[in-house]
Amino acid sequence: MPGVISRLYRGDIDIDFVGKRRLWYSLSAFLMVVSILGIVIHGLTLGVEFRGGSVIDFARTPGSSVEQVRETVRDVVGHDPIVQQAGPNWRVTTQSLDGDEVSKIQKTVSQRFGVSEQQVSSQVIGASWGGEVSQKAWVGLAVFMIAVMLYLSVAFEWRMALAAIVALVHDLVITAGVYAWTGFEVTPATMLGFLTILGYSLYDAVVVFDMIKEVTAKLGTSAKMTYTQAANNALSHTLIRSLNTSLTAILPVAAILFVGTTLLGAGTLKDLSLALFVGMIVGTYSSLCVATPILVTLKEREPKWQALAQRVHAKEASAAKAAARTAKEPVSAGSQNTTTPPADKRKKS
């Protein structure tokens, strides 16, 4: 294992990412179908900032649990609220409530958990404001995608821009599917997480594309490798860099997600950390196994690279035939080394 890792660091291991493109496409298609089914069946649990509603905060008391708080508020409002730990407080999100319902909740919570009514704060967020937040989030996402397309088209080419956009959409759909299946709330913090992972995935793709551009720029009419082989070679040299970058970024995010939300009870952190955790993993995968194979598929259709591939394959076939003929040729008689014993010289008596 240490030998494999050292070879990986030196770039001595060539992994045929592009040659296994059907495997990657099948895996990505499966993940996207599962994600879309989750979104269609369960839908996204939008936070109060998007759909509007009422937010009630009060201090956590010893012995209180999420289920107890949910049951207490449900008895008043008639539906299951969303209960989260927000530091030392409970944060309860419900549908929009009027003043009488809020007062009733304050009294019920005060009696059940032993907190004063003044310590139970409430906030009502209108649906129109939530709709405005949603609209701005979609506008921000659209502007980001357009900016990415323009930048990559100018810095590289439109094929790389298209491959990167497909990878970004792939990352967004799968991350949203995880939120749909797990039931995590989608809040403004989640949207920030989505934009962050898009930027991270784009960074990873740009690093890979830049190496591919550098390697393929040296290919001429007498090149000994095709565009596909050159792209695989570039991936092998950037693989360890991508893995190191991803690992160092995922470890602190995992600490926030699992330690911060589980041990420290900072429930609001999971809205951001889950998007980052899933998005970074999927983004690393997509930059290597989705964006690059798509780019190579598009580039292989260009006459320039098709002609180069034909020449390289012809040279490889000719070399293979020559090697086969050499292996089958018998050893000539003249090349055999024969030795004759020396004459037996006897003295005549």
Side-chain angles (χ1 to χ4, degrees), residues 6 36 52 80 120 134 156 158 168 174 209 236 264 271 280 286 289 295-296 303 344 349:
S6 62
I36 293 173
D80 282 332
V120 182
S134 301
F156 296 97
W158 69 267
L168 293 181
I174 293 178
F209 288 168
S236 297
L264 303 181
D271 300 337
M280 285 181 178
S286 66
C289 303
L295 170 64
V296 173
D344 187 10
S349 56

Side-chain angles (χ1 to χ4, degrees), residues 282-305:
V282 178
T284 303
Y285 161 78
S286 66
S287 64
L288 297 173
C289 303
V290 177
T292 302
I294 291 176
L295 170 64
V296 173
T297 300
L298 294 174
K299 295 291 289 185
E300 284 176 343
R301 298 179 180 179
E302 294 185 37
K304 171 185 176 181
W305 301 119

Side-chain angles (χ1 to χ4, degrees), residues 183-233:
F184 275 38
E185 262 195 321
V186 178
T187 64
T190 306
M191 299 304 299
L192 291 177
F194 282 173
L195 293 176
T196 302
I197 64 174
L198 290 180
Y200 180 86
S201 179
L202 176 63
Y203 163 79
D204 221 9
V206 167
V207 170
V208 174
F209 288 168
D210 187 62
M211 179 60 74
I212 292 176
K213 181 179 179 181
E214 179 181 345
V215 172
T216 56
K218 302 174 184 179
L219 297 179
T221 56
S222 60
K224 297 181 179 180
M225 64 174 62
T226 65
Y227 188 94
T228 300
Q229 294 168 340
N232 268 324
N233 183 266

